[in-house]
Amino acid sequence: MDTSLAQVRRTLPVEVLELICQDIEQNDFPPVLRANSTLYSIAVRVLYRNIPQLPVARSIAFLKAMDRNTTLTTFVHDLFVDWSSYHVTGNLLRLLRRVLRQLKNLRFLSIELSPRDNLASHAWIFVDGPYKLRTFATSTRCDNALAHVLEQQPLIYELSLRGFQTNLPFRLSSTALPRLNSFRCTHADTSVITEVIRGRPVEGISISLFADEGFEPLDTLRLTSTPLKRLTLMALDEIPATKILTQVAMRASQLEALHIVVLLSHYTSEGLMEAGPMLSSFKELRYITVMGGLGVDLTNDQQIAKEWHKHCKTLKTIILPKGQVWFERDGEWGCCL
């Protein structure tokens, strides 16, 4: 075995060996790491490059290993931490902060804490991080402490804020997040959405609609510095598709993709047919999804797809509440289950 490994080391370039290691399952890494020094140096970089969502015990063990061996921290590019089902202690948060302050090559960071933990501000765990993030997702509540962290990350391209809404101030300077392209939020109100996307080159947005705000959050869609191309809307309360489409068209008729999910909505064929004329305001729409959480009563999905395409000729893909994907090919609409 040692002879064959030595031959592999001599005949294959390091780049090829790294590509091979990238296809190895995580559980199969131990024998590769023990094979020889060359394979170890390659495999350890691949193993620690992307740290996926781990069970809480393994997640803590990983952080402790990083805290003891700071050499390993230079390999980490992507890190997922999900403690949403647990109440996190102060010692564990301080451990996480110590590790984050060592991750100089980190590019993707996702930190999910429980709603109970987010009653207090935990943005301090991100302060003074040496990394320059491209993607950042967190459930930490939106306050000025988190805004300060975002001010220090000018390379963020994708941002996801999942923290629960508060009445605390959240202010970003006009120079923050200059490269932001995609923004997703779950519980934030209009003021937070405005602070994040105003004057920034955001092309994709995912926001939630709440009964007490009505369609006010949609007014923020006009604030981006570049035309909005992708929009995802989540709503809990029942809202007819015709009403949503009308409100969106008034503010973002240049969309290329629109996805609507209304959890307490029950769609019917008649209601969706009536929504067809509302699509005539969209001049560049190619993809549309309309989903509901209370079941559907559709008798002819293909007819609905044809009706929508009649009013919006740019449509290429339509996903209706049953989950069926309708697409145009050679002038006909077919279904992909």
Side-chain angles (χ1 to χ4, degrees), residues 30-51:
V32 179
L33 292 168
R34 293 192 295 263
N36 58 51
S37 59
T38 299
L39 285 176
Y40 174 86
S41 64
I42 297 171
V44 74
R45 290 200 306 269
V46 174
L47 177 62
Y48 284 97
R49 183 174 299 158
N50 182 352
I51 308 302

Side-chain angles (χ1 to χ4, degrees), residues 53-190:
Q53 181 177 318
L54 300 171
V56 65
R58 289 185 61 190
S59 176
I60 295 172
F62 161 78
L63 292 175
K64 288 181 177 179
M66 293 290 103
D67 195 33
R68 291 191 302 266
N69 187 348
T70 56
T71 300
L72 296 176
T73 62
T74 62
F75 303 142
V76 180
H77 289 186
D78 301 349
L79 175 61
F80 298 76
V81 176
D82 185 358
W83 294 334
S84 57
S85 300
Y86 303 89
H87 180 47
V88 180
T89 65
N91 284 338
L92 185 52
L93 290 173
R94 285 187 285 272
L95 171 63
L96 176 58
R97 184 189 183 189
R98 289 199 302 272
V99 172
L100 289 176
R101 294 179 73 176
Q102 298 294 327
L103 300 181
K104 62 179 69 175
N105 294 318
L106 191 65
R107 298 296 178 262
F108 181 108
L109 177 60
S110 177
I111 304 291
E112 186 80 24
L113 301 176
S114 73
R116 179 180 176 183
D117 286 318
N118 282 322
L119 294 176
S121 177
H122 289 106
W124 57 271
I125 65 177
F126 307 114
V127 174
D128 299 327
Y131 41 75
K132 295 300 180 183
L133 297 175
R134 273 62 169 180
T135 300
F136 182 35
T138 181
S139 63
T140 301
R141 72 186 191 187
C142 296
D143 55 19
N144 277 338
L146 180 59
H148 175 70
V149 172
L150 297 178
E151 297 268 0
Q152 307 305 312
Q153 297 295 324
L155 301 184
I156 287 180
Y157 184 84
E158 298 181 43
L159 177 64
S160 177
L161 301 180
R162 301 188 290 267
F164 283 88
Q165 183 60 42
T166 71
N167 294 321
L168 297 171
F170 177 81
R171 297 287 183 269
L172 287 171
S173 70
S174 60
T175 58
L177 302 173
R179 301 188 182 185
L180 186 64
N181 178 268
S182 176
F183 175 57
R184 176 187 299 270
C185 66
T186 304
H187 304 287
D189 67 4
T190 302

Side-chain angles (χ1 to χ4, degrees), residues 152-292:
Q152 307 305 312
Q153 297 295 324
L155 301 184
I156 287 180
Y157 184 84
E158 298 181 43
L159 177 64
S160 177
L161 301 180
R162 301 188 290 267
F164 283 88
Q165 183 60 42
T166 71
N167 294 321
L168 297 171
F170 177 81
R171 297 287 183 269
L172 287 171
S173 70
S174 60
T175 58
L177 302 173
R179 301 188 182 185
L180 186 64
N181 178 268
S182 176
F183 175 57
R184 176 187 299 270
C185 66
T186 304
H187 304 287
D189 67 4
T190 302
S191 63
V192 171
I193 300 171
T194 298
E195 281 296 313
V196 173
I197 70 175
R198 180 170 50 199
R200 296 183 174 88
V202 181
E203 295 183 346
I205 295 177
S206 176
I207 59 177
S208 300
L209 298 176
F210 301 100
D212 58 342
E213 288 191 312
F215 290 105
E216 183 181 349
L218 297 182
D219 292 336
T220 63
L221 304 182
R222 300 190 178 105
L223 301 178
T224 60
S225 64
T226 190
L228 189 65
K229 294 182 179 179
R230 304 176 304 277
L231 174 63
T232 298
L233 294 176
M234 295 283 295
L236 179 64
D237 303 284
E238 183 173 6
I239 307 175
T242 52
K243 195 168 185 178
I244 294 180
L245 292 172
T246 300
Q247 295 294 327
V248 172
M250 291 168 55
R251 299 164 173 86
S253 60
Q254 75 284 353
L255 287 175
E256 294 180 5
L258 173 59
H259 308 290
I260 300 170
V261 180
V262 184
L263 297 180
L264 296 184
S265 184
H266 181 95
Y267 289 108
T268 65
S269 295
E270 293 76 13
L272 293 177
M273 290 290 284
E274 291 174 0
M278 311 303 160
L279 294 169
S280 61
S281 299
F282 296 98
K283 306 305 179 184
E284 303 176 44
L285 192 64
R286 297 171 59 84
Y287 314 100
I288 187 169
T289 301
V290 176
M291 301 293 290

